[in-house]
Amino acid sequence: YKKSFRFNKDTDPRGADIEKALSSDISNFEDAVVSAIAERQKAKYILTRNTKDFEKSKILSITPHDYLNINK
């Protein structure tokens, strides 16, 4: 599964990410920051154990189990 992951070194939050998170419909600030960074990075998915936290994200959230099934 290592081959299916693509890591980007540019995932540190930027000022614009924080501003976007503060105005986000996602109530949890840390989740909103994750969503903002994922959107900036044009990520396919947000990998999380709790997809409900990202229901208002523009990026689809999926569980690790679902991710592994997608990439079999």
Side-chain angles (χ1 to χ4, degrees):
Y1 294 105
K2 283 184 180 180
K3 291 180 182 179
S4 64
F5 283 103
R6 182 179 62 90
F7 293 100
N8 190 326
K9 294 179 183 178
D10 194 26
T11 55
D12 291 335
R14 297 179 178 172
D17 300 324
I18 302 302
E19 288 179 22
K20 188 173 222 168
L22 289 169
S23 64
S24 172
D25 290 334
I26 299 173
S27 60
N28 180 285
F29 176 69
E30 291 175 353
D31 293 341
V33 171
V34 168
S35 179
I37 293 170
E39 191 174 335
R40 174 171 50 86
Q41 293 293 324
K42 297 176 177 66
K44 280 187 177 181
Y45 311 112
I46 295 173
L47 195 62
T48 179
R49 287 179 283 156
N50 192 351
T51 57
K52 288 184 178 186
D53 290 346
F54 296 95
E55 287 178 340
K56 295 182 179 180
S57 176
K58 292 181 182 179
I59 305 297
L60 177 65
S61 63
I62 61 173
T63 65
H65 179 265
D66 291 340
Y67 180 81
L68 293 175
N69 286 330
I70 289 170
N71 290 291
K72 279 189 173 180

